[in-house]
Amino acid sequence: MSDIPRAVPAHAPMDQFTCRGDELLVGGMPLSRLAERVGQTPFYAVDRALLNARVASLRQVLPERMSLHYAIKANPMPALVQHMVGLVDGLDVASAGEMQVALNAGMQAQDISFAGPGKRDAELAQAVAAGVLLNVESPREARALAGISQRLGLPARVAVRVNPDFELKSSGMKMSGGPKQFGIDAEAVPELLRELPALGLAFEGFHLYAGSQNLKAASIVEAQQKSYELACRLADQAPGPVKALNLGGGFGIPYFPGETRLDLGPIGDNLAGIAQDAAQRLPQAELIIELGRYLVGEAGVYVCRVVDRKVSRGHVFLVTDGGLHHHLAASGNFGQVLRKNYPVAIGNRMGQPQGEPVSVVGPLCTPLDLLGDRMPLPDAQPGDLIVVYQSGAYGATASPQNFLGHPAVAEVLV
Ligand SMILES: *Cc1c(COP(=O)(O)O)cnc(C)c1O
């Protein structure tokens, strides 16, 4: 045992945003002015320039022959999706509702894929009529699509979503390996592939998605390599050439103390190898990776206002007008096992020294409504603006906004 206190792990620096004086700049605008422009707190703001920069830096490490898709469930705000249409090669949707957002945003149906277990017949019919690629998740879905294709006189475009026989290691959320509700078990895929021609479906390829929120490049490389090799083995038994191979994503962003940004270098190198190999083995295949939070998460902030500053038995609580009902993930209740703090700042006191640790809470009558637990922040007063970083993904639409009947959150792209 040493007497030297262990360094408290810090959040990754939120240096994607800059400041002017004490004000955080979002979309180039001082935060206090942006709050006036929006006309209310709380709000989410996503910075277009940061979206552009993120996609540009990713393109630099991806091989040329690799398509980049945005999975819109991370943030389906229509203005944002429309902006992404100009940056990426395709959109992935997880419901017919998201499919409408993607089509309205101007992405062509050819470049939209639709995944998710339990697609209802009505949704399947909408997708066939639209002409999007359906990632088939069960034999029942394939058979339902056969009937719909015949009725509409349009063969459904299908890729088989495979539940691989491996897991994505160190993933925040595992979505493959073992028994899963996603995809078709790898060992059952050949039988479905044999059935496809008789069903009158247009086979286009495979979709593999190993998991989410991974910060270890080596684990992502391993999952992508294994996914590629599995797809090549299955391709030998497919009823036609593979035209689309979606290798998934899972790229994480640093949310919590001690986490650091993903090293893209090894991932880019490995994908380059895959692209080179695929040019021989799957010559007709478009290779795709699909990312949600990695593309948009770091570009967005959640902003709420301090309503009250309470001292309870010596501990300071900053009570805000926002909380769990708008931002479930930052409260720690969206899939976290142990609650940890998102990075938080006082957006109009950026240059000021940190004071004693305070807790940032919301207005809900539950102790779960916590945005920051004992965080050292500059001395804040009612009227100040609390910023929760890393909030561009899984924000408003992943939160129970009706809980307790407070006003809805605003969302802007700046
Ligand atoms: C959720 C999901 C994504 C996006 O995950 P992120 O962690 O936001 O990158 C991509 N593809 C599929 C199939 C998904 O279910």
Side-chain angles (χ1 to χ4, degrees):
M1 287 285 281
S2 137
D3 289 341
I4 305 164
R6 253 180 12 147
V8 180
H11 282 105
M14 293 294 112
D15 48 12
Q16 67 271 41
F17 291 97
T18 57
C19 299
R20 187 182 300 152
D22 278 349
E23 291 275 335
L24 187 75
L25 295 177
V26 180
M29 190 178 274
L31 193 66
S32 298
R33 180 170 161 194
L34 179 60
E36 294 293 334
R37 199 206 90 172
V38 175
Q40 72 162 76
T41 52
F43 63 90
Y44 282 96
V46 179
D47 189 321
R48 292 170 205 270
L50 293 179
L51 297 174
N52 299 348
R54 174 51 59 106
V55 172
S57 65
L58 197 52
R59 295 271 195 203
Q60 280 199 324
V61 303
L62 290 181
E64 222 169 286
R65 226 188 127 223
M66 182 74 50
S67 295
L68 178 61
H69 281 200
Y70 171 50
I72 81 172
K73 82 164 188 269
N75 190 332
M77 179 181 33
L80 181 146
V81 176
Q82 193 159 359
H83 187 80
M84 297 306 285
V85 166
L87 297 176
V88 298
D89 308 303
L91 297 177
D92 293 311
V93 302
S95 69
E98 285 192 355
M99 184 186 80
Q100 301 299 5
V101 173
L103 290 166
N104 287 344
M107 183 55 79
Q108 45 174 350
Q110 178 66 31
D111 298 318
I112 297 173
S113 59
F114 183 175
K119 298 183 200 73
R120 286 165 280 118
D121 286 359
E123 288 183 296
L124 293 171
Q126 284 176 272
V128 175
V132 307
L133 180 67
L134 277 143
N135 294 327
V136 171
E137 310 242 359
S138 77
R140 187 210 73 87
E141 250 178 32
R143 287 170 205 139
L145 283 169
I148 292 164
S149 298
Q150 199 171 33
R151 180 169 68 78
L152 299 182
L154 277 171
R157 300 175 52 217
V158 300
V160 176
R161 180 167 180 184
V162 183
N163 174 23
D165 36 18
F166 56 85
E167 286 191 341
L168 176 55
K169 288 179 194 147
S170 0
S171 180
M173 234 176 267
K174 292 189 175 66
M175 292 170 70
S176 75
K180 287 282 179 298
Q181 73 264 52
F182 307 107
I184 296 170
D185 294 345
E187 56 278 19
V189 169
E191 189 187 330
L192 180 70
L193 290 173
R194 280 193 294 277
E195 215 185 314
L196 287 182
L199 293 175
L201 308 180
F203 170 80
E204 295 201 7
F206 297 105
H207 176 222
L208 296 100
Y209 188 78
S212 205
Q213 180 49 23
N214 202 308
L215 289 167
K216 292 216 171 75
S219 312
I220 293 175
V221 163
E222 186 186 325
Q224 288 181 332
Q225 190 62 34
K226 286 183 174 170
S227 296
Y228 172 66
E229 284 159 15
L230 175 57
C232 286
R233 287 197 299 277
L234 294 171
D236 292 339
Q237 305 174 62
V242 173
K243 296 183 193 147
L245 174 55
N246 186 330
L247 292 169
F251 296 21
I253 61 174
Y255 288 107
F256 306 122
E259 292 183 342
T260 53
R261 289 192 167 81
L262 182 63
D263 179 8
L264 288 179
I267 300 173
D269 291 346
N270 188 62
L271 288 174
I274 289 177
Q276 205 173 16
D277 191 77
Q280 313 298 323
R281 283 164 84 182
L282 305 171
Q284 297 191 39
E286 178 189 10
L287 301 178
I288 300 159
I289 57 167
E290 58 175 356
L291 305 176
R293 83 182 75 229
Y294 189 81
L295 297 182
V296 300
E298 300 212 51
V301 290
Y302 174 65
V303 182
C304 56
R305 203 179 282 281
V306 179
V307 173
D308 203 350
R309 181 178 189 281
K310 293 177 66 169
V311 183
S312 168
R313 308 215 160 100
H315 185 70
V316 174
F317 289 87
L318 301 176
V319 187
T320 71
D321 58 3
L324 166 164
H325 53 309
H326 296 153
H327 203 333
L328 190 66
S331 78
N333 295 293
F334 189 57
Q336 287 185 44
V337 180
L338 288 176
R339 192 194 174 284
K340 293 177 198 153
N341 289 326
Y342 269 46
V344 168
I346 312 290
N348 57 313
R349 296 185 186 271
M350 295 301 292
Q352 299 182 13
Q354 290 181 349
E356 285 302 298
V358 299
S359 292
V360 181
V361 302
L364 306 190
C365 293
T366 161
L368 298 177
D369 193 9
L370 183 60
L371 293 176
D373 185 20
R374 288 162 290 169
M375 300 186 85
L377 293 171
D379 185 26
Q381 297 299 327
D384 283 344
L385 296 170
I386 299 286
V387 171
V388 181
Y389 293 105
Q390 306 298 76
S391 297
Y394 303 108
T397 61
S399 302
Q401 289 211 49
N402 291 337
F403 188 40
L404 267 79
H406 287 284
V409 69
E411 293 182 87
V412 295
L413 184 67
V414 289

